[in-house]
Amino acid sequence: MLQYQADEAKTDELFSALADPTRRRLLEHLDHGPASVSSLAEPFDVTLAAIGQHLRVLESAGLILTEKVGRQRICALDQAALATAQVWIEQRRAQWQGRLDRLVDHLDTAKNPKGA
């Protein structure tokens, strides 16, 4: 039970981090490869400190890894966290597909009863 709660909390943190459009854009940029914090901040009309806060949220959620290289902080996408999100989404998709299939079967049966 404790492991389930820990996994659920991590999943909540992951999707909370993904909920912000700025953080999603940062991840899209990192999808092309590692980048420095300053290069990540360039396209945004916010302070470097604000980008740093977004990056800390992404790192805490396990979506990115950061490393200090000389005077720069380099960020890279962590594919494992995205795989966790994908697994969660696929589980929900399979669950809903089963429900929809049962609904279609029910509606077909109601529309064309076997005895009629």
Side-chain angles (χ1 to χ4, degrees):
M1 182 66 157
L2 290 178
Q3 181 60 42
Y4 175 78
Q5 289 172 340
D7 291 344
E8 189 173 283
K10 194 65 177 168
T11 301
D12 289 348
E13 185 178 13
L14 176 85
F15 281 104
S16 178
L18 291 171
D20 184 88
T22 300
R23 291 192 283 267
R24 289 193 306 270
R25 285 186 53 207
L26 288 166
L27 291 173
E28 289 168 6
H29 185 88
L30 290 171
D31 197 32
H32 300 289
S36 68
V37 172
S38 58
S39 71
L40 288 170
E42 281 178 20
F44 297 97
D45 190 25
V46 296
T47 66
L48 194 57
I51 293 298
Q53 288 176 336
H54 283 296
L55 293 172
R56 281 189 288 284
V57 170
L58 292 170
E59 187 173 24
S60 176
L63 288 161
I64 65 169
L65 303 169
T66 62
E67 177 184 13
K68 185 133 173 123
V69 178
R71 296 177 65 188
Q72 290 188 322
R73 182 149 300 278
I74 304 298
C75 302
L77 197 58
D78 185 353
Q79 297 290 342
L82 292 176
T84 299
Q86 183 177 359
V87 166
W88 188 90
I89 290 167
E90 288 300 324
Q91 288 171 343
R92 303 295 84 65
R93 183 183 317 211
Q95 183 180 46
W96 277 102
Q97 188 61 51
R99 289 175 180 170
L100 291 172
D101 289 346
R102 288 191 302 278
L103 176 60
V104 167
D105 291 344
H106 173 75
L107 293 173
D108 284 345
T109 301
K111 185 174 160 182
N112 300 315
K114 291 184 169 76

